Amino acid sequence: MMINKEMVRNQLYGEFIRPTNQNKNFIGIEIEIPIINLDKKAVDFNVVHEITGKFQRQFGDFKTDGVDYDGNVFSLKNHLNDDIVCYDCSYNNIEFAMGRERDLFSINERFSEYYTFVKESFEQHNHTLTGMGINPYRKYNVNEPIPSERYLMLYHHLKSFKNYDNVPMHFHKYPEYGMFSSASQVQLDVTRENLVKTINVFSKIEPIKALLFSNSVLYGEDNQFTCFRDALWEYSTHGVNPHNIGVYDVEFKDLNDLQSYLESLNIYCVMRDGAYINFPSMNLLEYFAQDYVSGEIYCNGRYRQIDIKPCINDIKYLRPFKFINLTFRGTVEFRSICTQPIRDSMCVAAFHLGLKDKLDELEDIITNDTVLYHRGYTAGELRKLLIQEKLPGFINKNDLCRLSRDIVDLSSDGLKERNIGEEIFLKPLYDRIKKHSNPGKDLINLTKNGIDIEKIIKDYGKLDITI
């Protein structure tokens, strides 16, 4: 049976829109953190595997959740609270994916316990963890993917940029960037009634988020950008279709508009019989219009050609990497923020959580602002300006700080209304506004002033357990 546009539309609705028909209010947090060998050598993967086993013995409720082709454990899951400790893309990156909770203090307490144990364990081998969005020691590492279905597929896709010779873009030289870049992601439950407005309004503050949270300096190669991660995504094969990455630079009128945007996305992989199949990135509707699609499958250590027949259920393998993503859980995932200095880890979730129910007030701030907005630039263009070390000349620094403070104040008001005390996690943002800085700018300035990167690594890896 031919798969028509209406079938695709209905499937997209079921996958991404229908799950928002809910009345929940949970928080999910994922924090990716670079591992660093202080000997200025590659991260020792034998040490990584040893510490994984040590963690599992210490925290007995964590059970093996993922094993690579070499028999090494790369994911552990606690089925009592759904916390996951795993490695992201490679064994150079550890991830703490915290199971959903109703408050930030519960998440922070468990994260702090896990992080402290893992960091102290690594330091026994002269390795450490630090809170940076790009690993400053990446040049020493072996940048190879975890030998598993998902990560081999992902790296194969990113390496295929040389096969795209007819696209209006250029590609950077870092297809392995997933192995040295780290993010701090937040998932929040959003009701269907608020879904469109949540995406519209939060998209407009991506420039402010860049100003407050940027922490991805390509140390040793580029000191002009405080959030080089944006370029790593945009100028990779994920960005062949610009709708798959970055800011929504359109405003949705309703759910139909949003669904039309989903239809405009590209797909580049599916699974058959437990194995991933890569193919050239193509529009979703174009994919389903074909009788067969030619792709590549990993088998016995190499890739071979395979033809597949599109199936409507392949939509579950649609993998956009927008700054704001819809998930099959009925959540909205905010994914544009770099890993923060570890002591500030909860400020990311606190910022989004406080604003989630303040959409009208947040929109009013943006609508009435003329410092940043209504100057002829889209939100995406403004974000590109604000991840540069120096502000563009048309922006008044003091007025921009006032605008940022108004938005953080609004987030604080939202948290105060929850009456839990979570507004304490916003303190780092007020400090940054006061200093007219962010962690990326701090790193650039510190290194310019002769501060050793080792000292910054140590400072950004500290955990303030007094909260």
Side-chain angles (χ1 to χ4, degrees):
M1 182 177 64
M2 288 292 295
I3 298 172
N4 58 40
K5 182 175 179 179
E6 183 178 358
M7 294 169 64
V8 174
R9 194 173 183 86
N10 289 338
Q11 194 75 12
L12 284 167
Y13 184 90
E15 193 75 22
F16 296 106
I17 309 296
R18 184 178 294 123
T20 61
N21 186 21
Q22 59 182 346
N23 187 25
K24 299 180 293 183
N25 195 24
F26 288 101
I27 311 155
I29 296 176
E30 299 172 21
I31 303 174
E32 302 161 3
I33 300 172
I35 303 170
I36 290 178
N37 185 339
L38 294 171
D39 290 329
K40 294 186 178 181
K41 298 178 181 178
V43 168
D44 188 335
F45 292 168
N46 289 325
V47 169
V48 171
H49 301 320
E50 178 184 329
I51 290 172
T52 305
K54 185 178 178 182
F55 182 93
Q56 191 170 17
R57 292 189 294 273
Q58 176 71 17
F59 300 93
D61 290 327
F62 279 84
K63 307 302 180 185
T64 298
D65 191 51
V67 179
D68 70 21
Y69 292 156
D70 296 330
N72 296 307
V73 175
F74 67 86
S75 180
L76 299 169
K77 183 173 183 178
N78 184 330
H79 292 276
L80 299 179
N81 56 23
D82 288 336
D83 288 350
I84 297 173
V85 175
C86 60
Y87 298 93
D88 182 67
C89 289
S90 80
Y91 289 112
N92 299 309
N93 250 4
I94 191 167
E95 177 179 323
F96 299 89
M98 310 304 296
R100 66 180 192 172
E101 283 287 353
R102 294 189 181 275
D103 72 279
L104 292 177
F105 288 104
S106 298
I107 294 175
N108 186 59
E109 182 178 0
R110 298 204 306 273
F111 167 73
S112 298
E113 185 178 11
Y114 303 153
Y115 177 82
T116 299
F117 179 85
V118 172
K119 183 169 182 283
E120 289 178 353
S121 297
F122 270 113
E123 287 177 347
Q124 293 172 12
H125 301 271
N126 209 33
H127 287 53
T128 193
L129 307 179
T130 194
M132 294 183 185
I134 290 182
N135 191 325
Y137 277 15
R138 65 194 175 280
K139 68 179 181 180
Y140 304 117
N141 286 339
V142 175
N143 286 312
E144 295 178 351
I146 294 170
S148 69
E149 274 296 321
R150 179 187 175 194
Y151 293 121
L152 287 170
M153 174 278 296
L154 184 59
Y155 188 41
H156 192 61
H157 171 59
L158 291 169
K159 286 194 301 181
S160 70
F161 69 92
K162 296 178 182 177
N163 299 333
Y164 294 86
D165 56 4
N166 192 30
V167 291
M169 65 177 292
H170 74 273
F171 294 99
H172 59 63
K173 60 181 181 180
Y174 307 102
E176 74 283 2
Y177 72 87
M179 304 172 209
F180 63 73
S181 65
S182 304
S184 179
Q185 299 163 2
V186 182
Q187 290 194 21
L188 299 177
D189 288 316
V190 178
T191 62
R192 191 179 306 175
E193 292 73 23
N194 281 339
L195 179 56
V196 168
K197 189 160 191 175
T198 297
I199 294 174
N200 283 340
V201 177
F202 270 100
S203 293
K204 293 173 184 175
I205 63 167
E206 284 297 340
I208 296 297
K209 288 164 65 174
L211 195 71
L212 292 172
F213 296 103
S214 286
N215 189 30
S216 293
V217 178
L218 195 67
Y219 172 75
E221 294 184 66
D222 188 306
N223 279 352
Q224 301 302 311
F225 295 93
T226 58
C227 187
F228 201 85
R229 279 183 64 253
D230 284 9
L232 292 174
W233 287 92
E234 181 174 355
Y235 301 110
S236 73
T237 51
H238 287 312
V240 168
N241 179 353
H243 276 202
N244 275 51
I245 49 89
V247 180
Y248 294 94
D249 265 335
V250 294
E251 183 155 358
F252 301 120
K253 183 176 69 174
D254 51 28
L255 286 174
N256 283 329
D257 257 9
L258 177 57
Q259 277 198 259
S260 294
Y261 196 95
L262 294 175
E263 292 169 15
S264 76
L265 299 174
N266 275 24
I267 186 170
Y268 63 86
C269 70
V270 295
M271 290 193 91
R272 294 291 186 270
D273 299 322
Y276 273 108
I277 296 158
N278 288 86
F279 45 83
S281 179
M282 68 180 74
N283 173 257
L284 198 61
L285 297 179
E286 178 189 345
Y287 170 77
F288 285 113
Q290 300 190 43
D291 291 330
Y292 289 91
V293 172
S294 181
E296 293 180 291
I297 186 170
Y298 185 77
C299 184
N300 296 324
R302 65 182 183 87
Y303 286 89
R304 62 176 177 84
Q305 292 292 122
I306 184 173
D307 290 337
I308 57 168
K309 185 174 180 61
C311 165
I312 192 64
N313 289 328
D314 289 341
I315 282 178
K316 65 184 177 182
Y317 302 110
L318 177 63
R319 297 179 181 275
F321 293 98
K322 301 295 295 180
F323 285 166
I324 304 174
N325 259 355
L326 294 176
T327 77
F328 66 87
R329 303 179 186 90
T331 63
V332 169
E333 181 181 56
F334 301 94
R335 48 176 299 112
S336 65
I337 292 182
C338 320
T339 295
Q340 300 294 288
I342 299 301
R343 58 178 165 267
D344 301 341
S345 291
M346 293 301 124
C347 72
V348 179
F351 177 81
H352 291 88
L353 181 62
L355 292 174
K356 189 186 81 162
D357 295 323
K358 293 289 186 179
L359 297 177
D360 291 338
E361 296 93 328
L362 182 55
E363 189 170 44
D364 284 344
I365 291 174
I366 297 165
T367 300
N368 294 316
D369 173 71
T370 56
V371 175
L372 186 62
Y373 301 98
H374 311 293
R375 303 293 295 267
Y377 293 90
T378 66
E381 291 166 343
L382 287 169
R383 182 175 171 99
K384 287 184 177 181
L385 292 174
L386 295 185
I387 63 171
Q388 298 180 36
E389 182 193 2
K390 295 181 180 179
L391 288 176
F394 73 88
I395 298 177
N396 181 285
K397 183 183 292 187
N398 292 324
D399 289 341
L400 185 58
C401 285
R402 175 195 52 75
L403 172 62
S404 302
R405 188 179 297 107
D406 287 345
I407 292 174
V408 176
D409 282 345
L410 183 62
S411 176
S412 181
D413 291 342
L415 293 173
K416 287 175 181 175
E417 289 175 9
R418 287 167 55 84
N419 201 30
I420 304 175
E422 294 160 315
E423 60 273 12
I424 192 173
F425 292 113
L426 295 175
K427 184 180 181 302
L429 302 186
Y430 285 110
D431 293 341
R432 295 172 190 181
I433 292 169
K434 185 177 180 181
K435 293 193 305 178
H436 294 191
S437 194
N438 58 46
K441 286 185 180 180
D442 288 345
L443 189 152
I444 292 171
N445 290 330
L446 287 168
T447 53
K448 279 183 177 179
N449 291 328
I451 303 301
D452 291 339
I453 189 65
E454 291 75 20
K455 185 174 181 180
I456 303 171
I457 288 170
K458 181 178 180 181
D459 181 55
Y460 278 35
K462 289 180 180 176
L463 175 65
D464 183 358
I465 59 175
T466 60
I467 293 176

